[in-house]
Amino acid sequence: QSARAALRERFLRLLGRARGRPARFRLWGGLAVEAALGAADAEPAAFQVDSLRTPLGLQGAALLRCGDVLAFSVPLQ
């Protein structure tokens, strides 16, 4: 349980450092989208993003369900 708590703490610290930075999300089905990472809820069940760029256009703000996200990356440098 302590290892799990440590991993959760690292993940939450990563989300804190990544706020407002550009992120790339790979969704199930092979779709890749880009957005500025806003926040994630405590579970996390969803990511709040700004300026979501999709093949259909630009959305000012959106929620990405974590169940739909296969992977995401955020450059921290």
Side-chain angles (χ1 to χ4, degrees):
Q1 187 171 351
S2 64
R4 195 171 173 172
L7 288 173
R8 178 152 179 81
E9 180 181 351
R10 287 179 65 189
F11 178 70
L12 293 174
R13 288 184 188 276
L14 166 81
L15 289 177
R17 288 187 61 202
R19 183 176 175 89
R21 295 182 184 264
R24 176 172 285 154
F25 295 87
R26 173 75 56 186
L27 307 178
W28 289 100
L31 183 64
V33 297
E34 296 181 0
L37 187 61
D41 59 1
E43 293 301 319
F47 293 103
Q48 184 276 321
V49 296
D50 297 312
S51 303
L52 177 66
R53 288 180 295 285
T54 73
L56 297 176
L58 181 69
Q59 289 291 324
L63 287 176
L64 298 177
R65 296 180 301 188
C66 287
D68 294 335
V69 175
L70 178 62
F72 74 99
S73 61
V74 179
L76 295 177
Q77 296 294 340

